[in-house]
Amino acid sequence: MRQYLKVDLDKCTGCRTCEVVCAEVKTKECNPKKSLIRVTFVPPYFFLPINCQFCDRPPCVSSCPESALEVDEKHRIRVDPKKCIGCSWCLNVCPFGAIVLDEETNVVRICDLCNGDPECVKACPTNALELVTSELASIKNRFSAAQKLLAGLISSSGILKEVKG
C-alpha cells in the first residue's frame, strides 16, 4: 500500500527541523539544501513541507532517458546511481519540485521515506508530519470533518435542538 507524508498545516511552524534531520541522515551533513524534504512558505499564512508524493504514474520515471529511476514494490522511486547521468529531466517534470540533484555526485536523490520509518516524522517537534496510507488519511480527514461539523452544531444550539427533535 502506498504511503506518503501528511502535513498538518495547523501544526507546522516552519522550523525546518525536518530539513536538517533529513540532510543529516541522508548525507551526513547539516545542510538543509541537501534535504529531500523542503519547507516552503506559502504567503501569507502557512509553511508546507514538500517531499516526493510518490505519484501513481510518476513523470520523473517516464522522463528519464537512461531508465535510472524505477518504482519499487512499495511505490517508492529508486535511483540507480550507475545509470543516472544528472541530466535533470526528472527535476523539470516533477510537479512538486521534490527531486534533488547532488552536485558532487551528479546523481539525483529522491525521498524514500527512510525505508518506511521517516526520520523527519520522528524529529518534528510539533508532530506536524505523519506517515500515512491514503486509506488512513481519508479516515482521519472524515473524522476531522465530523468533529468540525459537530462543533458547529453545538455552537449553534438552534440547529442542534432541531436535530434532537
Side-chain angles (χ1 to χ4, degrees), residues 5-15 18 37 47-49 120-132:
L5 291 182
K6 181 179 180 199
V7 180
D8 186 334
L9 298 177
D10 292 332
K11 292 181 179 178
C12 182
T13 63
C15 69
C18 55
I37 184 169
F47 295 94
L48 180 62
C120 57
V121 171
K122 293 188 277 188
C124 180
T126 62
N127 296 317
L129 296 173
E130 181 180 17
L131 181 64
V132 297

Side-chain angles (χ1 to χ4, degrees), residues 2 52-60 71 75 77 94-96:
R2 193 167 90 183
C52 178
Q53 297 298 298
F54 311 100
C55 302
D56 206 26
R57 282 181 255 154
C60 57
V71 179
H75 210 83
I77 310 298
C94 176
F96 302 99

Side-chain angles (χ1 to χ4, degrees), residues 18-36 102 104 109 114-115 119:
C18 55
E19 290 180 344
V20 172
V21 168
C22 177
E24 181 66 32
V25 168
K26 296 298 184 183
T27 67
K28 308 297 181 217
E29 292 181 37
C30 187
N31 182 354
K33 290 183 178 178
K34 294 191 174 190
S35 174
L36 301 177
D102 187 321
E104 293 170 16
R109 299 184 309 110
C114 297
N115 292 316
E119 295 297 327

Side-chain angles (χ1 to χ4, degrees), residues 135 137-147:
E135 183 178 342
S138 293
I139 291 169
K140 288 186 173 201
N141 287 342
R142 284 194 299 270
F143 184 73
S144 177
Q147 284 182 316

